[in-house]
Coordinates of all heavy atoms in Angstrom, one line a residue:
E1 N 105.2 166.7 40.8 CA 105.4 167.4 42.1 C 106.7 167.0 42.7 O 107.4 167.9 43.3 CB 104.2 167.1 43.0 CG 104.3 167.8 44.3 CD 103.1 167.5 45.2 OE1 102.1 167.0 44.8 OE2 103.2 167.9 46.4
L2 N 107.1 165.8 42.6 CA 108.4 165.3 43.2 C 109.5 166.1 42.6 O 110.4 166.6 43.3 CB 108.5 163.8 43.1 CG 109.9 163.3 43.6 CD1 110.1 163.6 45.1 CD2 109.9 161.8 43.4
H3 N 109.6 166.1 41.3 CA 110.6 166.8 40.6 C 110.7 168.3 40.9 O 111.8 168.8 41.2 CB 110.5 166.6 39.0 CG 111.5 167.3 38.3 ND1 112.8 166.8 38.1 CD2 111.6 168.5 37.7 CE1 113.6 167.7 37.4 NE2 112.8 168.7 37.1
R4 N 109.5 168.9 41.0 CA 109.5 170.3 41.4 C 110.0 170.5 42.8 O 110.8 171.5 43.1 CB 108.1 170.9 41.2 CG 107.7 171.1 39.8 CD 106.4 171.8 39.6 NE 105.3 171.2 40.3 CZ 104.5 170.3 39.7 NH1 104.7 169.9 38.5 NH2 103.5 169.7 40.4
S5 N 109.7 169.6 43.7 CA 110.2 169.7 45.1 C 111.7 169.6 45.2 O 112.4 170.3 45.9 CB 109.5 168.7 46.0 OG 108.1 169.0 46.1
I6 N 112.2 168.6 44.4 CA 113.6 168.4 44.4 C 114.4 169.6 43.8 O 115.4 170.0 44.4 CB 114.0 167.1 43.6 CG1 113.5 165.9 44.4 CG2 115.5 167.0 43.3 CD1 113.5 164.6 43.6
Q7 N 113.8 170.1 42.7 CA 114.4 171.3 42.1 C 114.4 172.5 43.1 O 115.4 173.2 43.2 CB 113.8 171.6 40.8 CG 114.5 172.7 40.0 CD 116.0 172.3 39.7 OE1 116.2 171.2 39.2 NE2 116.9 173.1 40.1
K8 N 113.3 172.7 43.8 CA 113.2 173.8 44.7 C 114.3 173.6 45.8 O 114.9 174.6 46.2 CB 111.8 173.8 45.4 CG 111.6 175.0 46.3 CD 110.2 175.0 46.9 CE 110.0 176.1 47.9 NZ 108.7 176.1 48.5
A9 N 114.5 172.4 46.3 CA 115.5 172.2 47.3 C 116.9 172.4 46.8 O 117.7 173.1 47.5 CB 115.4 170.7 47.9
R10 N 117.1 172.0 45.6 CA 118.4 172.3 45.0 C 118.7 173.8 44.8 O 119.7 174.3 45.1 CB 118.5 171.6 43.6 CG 118.7 170.2 43.6 CD 118.8 169.6 42.2 NE 119.1 168.2 42.3 CZ 118.8 167.4 41.3 NH1 118.3 167.8 40.1 NH2 119.0 166.1 41.4
D11 N 117.7 174.5 44.4 CA 117.8 175.9 44.2 C 118.1 176.6 45.5 O 118.9 177.5 45.6 CB 116.5 176.5 43.6 CG 116.3 176.1 42.1 OD1 117.3 175.6 41.5 OD2 115.2 176.2 41.6
L12 N 117.3 176.2 46.6 CA 117.6 176.8 47.9 C 119.0 176.5 48.4 O 119.7 177.4 48.9 CB 116.5 176.3 48.9 CG 115.1 176.7 48.7 CD1 114.2 175.9 49.6 CD2 115.0 178.2 49.0
F13 N 119.4 175.3 48.2 CA 120.8 174.9 48.6 C 121.8 175.7 47.9 O 122.8 176.3 48.5 CB 121.0 173.4 48.4 CG 122.4 173.0 48.9 CD1 122.6 172.8 50.2 CD2 123.4 172.8 47.9 CE1 123.9 172.3 50.6 CE2 124.7 172.4 48.4 CZ 124.9 172.2 49.7
E14 N 121.7 175.9 46.6 CA 122.7 176.6 45.8 C 122.7 178.1 46.1 O 123.7 178.7 46.0 CB 122.4 176.4 44.3 CG 122.7 175.0 43.8 CD 122.3 174.7 42.4 OE1 121.9 175.6 41.7 OE2 122.4 173.5 42.0
A15 N 121.6 178.6 46.6 CA 121.5 180.0 47.0 C 122.1 180.3 48.4 O 122.3 181.4 48.8 CB 120.1 180.5 47.0
M16 N 122.4 179.2 49.1 CA 123.0 179.4 50.5 C 124.4 179.9 50.4 O 125.2 179.5 49.6 CB 122.9 178.1 51.2 CG 121.6 177.6 51.7 SD 121.8 176.0 52.6 CE 120.1 175.7 53.0
S17 N 124.8 180.6 51.4 CA 126.2 181.0 51.6 C 126.9 179.8 52.2 O 126.3 178.9 52.8 CB 126.3 182.2 52.6 OG 125.9 181.8 53.9
P18 N 128.3 179.8 52.2 CA 129.0 178.7 52.8 C 128.7 178.6 54.3 O 128.5 177.4 54.8 CB 130.5 179.1 52.6 CG 130.4 179.9 51.3 CD 129.1 180.7 51.4
A19 N 128.5 179.7 55.0 CA 128.1 179.6 56.4 C 126.8 179.0 56.6 O 126.6 178.2 57.6 CB 128.2 181.0 57.1
E20 N 125.8 179.3 55.8 CA 124.5 178.7 55.9 C 124.5 177.2 55.6 O 123.8 176.4 56.2 CB 123.5 179.4 54.9 CG 123.2 180.8 55.3 CD 122.4 181.5 54.2 OE1 122.7 181.3 53.0 OE2 121.5 182.3 54.6
R21 N 125.3 176.8 54.6 CA 125.5 175.4 54.3 C 126.1 174.6 55.5 O 125.7 173.5 55.8 CB 126.3 175.2 53.1 CG 125.6 175.6 51.8 CD 126.5 175.3 50.6 NE 125.9 175.8 49.4 CZ 126.3 175.6 48.2 NH1 127.4 174.9 48.0 NH2 125.7 176.1 47.1
Q22 N 127.1 175.2 56.1 CA 127.7 174.6 57.3 C 126.7 174.5 58.4 O 126.7 173.4 59.1 CB 128.9 175.4 57.7 CG 129.7 174.8 58.8 CD 131.0 175.6 59.1 OE1 131.1 176.7 58.8 NE2 131.9 174.9 59.8
E23 N 125.9 175.5 58.6 CA 124.9 175.4 59.7 C 123.9 174.4 59.4 O 123.4 173.6 60.3 CB 124.3 176.8 59.9 CG 123.2 176.8 61.0 CD 123.7 176.5 62.4 OE1 124.9 176.4 62.6 OE2 122.8 176.2 63.2
M24 N 123.4 174.3 58.1 CA 122.5 173.3 57.7 C 123.0 171.9 58.0 O 122.4 171.0 58.5 CB 122.1 173.4 56.3 CG 121.0 172.4 55.9 SD 120.7 172.4 54.1 CE 122.2 171.6 53.5
S25 N 124.3 171.7 57.6 CA 124.9 170.4 57.8 C 125.0 170.0 59.3 O 124.7 168.9 59.7 CB 126.3 170.4 57.2 OG 127.0 169.2 57.4
R26 N 125.3 171.0 60.1 CA 125.4 170.8 61.6 C 124.0 170.4 62.1 O 123.9 169.4 62.9 CB 125.9 172.0 62.3 CG 126.1 171.9 63.8 CD 126.4 173.2 64.5 NE 125.2 174.0 64.5 CZ 124.2 173.8 65.4 NH1 124.1 172.8 66.2 NH2 123.1 174.6 65.4
R27 N 123.0 171.1 61.7 CA 121.7 170.8 62.2 C 121.2 169.5 61.7 O 120.5 168.7 62.4 CB 120.7 171.9 61.8 CG 120.9 173.2 62.5 CD 120.0 174.3 62.0 NE 120.3 175.6 62.7 CZ 119.4 176.1 63.6 NH1 118.3 175.5 64.0 NH2 119.8 177.2 64.2
Q28 N 121.5 169.1 60.4 CA 121.1 167.8 59.9 C 121.8 166.7 60.8 O 121.1 165.7 61.1 CB 121.5 167.6 58.5 CG 120.5 168.3 57.5 CD 120.9 168.1 56.1 OE1 122.1 167.9 55.8 NE2 119.9 168.1 55.2
A29 N 123.0 166.8 61.0 CA 123.8 165.8 61.8 C 123.1 165.7 63.2 O 123.0 164.6 63.7 CB 125.2 166.2 61.9
A30 N 122.8 166.8 63.8 CA 122.1 166.8 65.1 C 120.8 166.1 65.0 O 120.4 165.3 65.9 CB 122.0 168.2 65.7
S31 N 120.0 166.3 64.0 CA 118.7 165.7 63.8 C 118.9 164.2 63.6 O 118.1 163.4 64.2 CB 118.0 166.3 62.6 OG 116.8 165.7 62.3
W32 N 119.8 163.8 62.8 CA 120.1 162.4 62.6 C 120.5 161.7 63.9 O 120.1 160.6 64.2 CB 121.1 162.1 61.5 CG 120.6 162.6 60.1 CD1 119.3 162.6 59.7 CD2 121.4 163.0 59.1 NE1 119.3 163.1 58.4 CE2 120.6 163.4 58.0 CE3 122.8 163.2 58.9 CZ2 121.1 163.9 56.8 CZ3 123.3 163.7 57.7 CH2 122.4 164.0 56.7
G33 N 121.3 162.4 64.6 CA 121.8 161.8 65.9 C 120.6 161.6 66.9 O 120.5 160.5 67.5
R34 N 119.7 162.6 66.9 CA 118.5 162.4 67.8 C 117.7 161.3 67.3 O 117.1 160.6 68.1 CB 117.7 163.7 67.8 CG 118.4 164.8 68.6 CD 117.5 166.0 68.9 NE 117.0 165.8 70.3 CZ 115.7 165.6 70.5 NH1 114.8 165.6 69.6 NH2 115.3 165.4 71.8
A35 N 117.5 161.2 66.0 CA 116.7 160.1 65.5 C 117.3 158.7 65.8 O 116.5 157.8 66.2 CB 116.5 160.2 63.9
E36 N 118.6 158.6 65.7 CA 119.2 157.3 66.0 C 119.1 157.0 67.5 O 118.8 155.9 67.9 CB 120.7 157.4 65.7 CG 121.0 157.3 64.2 CD 120.6 155.9 63.6 OE1 120.8 154.9 64.3 OE2 120.1 155.9 62.5
A37 N 119.2 158.1 68.3 CA 119.0 157.9 69.8 C 117.6 157.4 70.1 O 117.3 156.6 70.9 CB 119.3 159.2 70.5
A38 N 116.6 158.1 69.4 CA 115.2 157.7 69.6 C 114.9 156.3 69.2 O 114.2 155.5 69.9 CB 114.3 158.7 68.9
F39 N 115.5 155.9 68.1 CA 115.2 154.5 67.6 C 115.9 153.5 68.5 O 115.4 152.4 68.8 CB 115.7 154.3 66.2 CG 114.9 155.0 65.2 CD1 115.5 155.7 64.1 CD2 113.5 154.9 65.2 CE1 114.7 156.3 63.2 CE2 112.7 155.6 64.2 CZ 113.4 156.3 63.2
G40 N 117.1 153.9 69.0 CA 117.8 152.9 69.9 C 118.4 151.8 69.1 O 118.7 151.9 67.9

């Protein structure tokens, strides 16, 4: 199951346009920032 999940994520990423990848990166950074703020 883990391998299949990783492969699915890779496939989804590879199918993204450059704009979608940039937006995903922006959202991940925002999510990590919020997590860091929450942890303190």
Side-chain angles (χ1 to χ4, degrees):
E1 185 177 345
L2 176 60
H3 178 78
R4 287 189 301 273
S5 294
I6 291 169
Q7 189 59 51
K8 182 179 177 182
R10 284 181 179 158
D11 293 344
L12 288 170
F13 182 80
E14 289 173 10
M16 287 180 180
S17 70
E20 289 171 324
R21 288 181 185 188
Q22 185 175 17
E23 179 62 13
M24 182 189 72
S25 179
R26 186 191 69 75
R27 288 176 184 254
Q28 282 181 331
S31 175
W32 294 332
R34 287 192 96 245
E36 286 294 321
F39 289 135

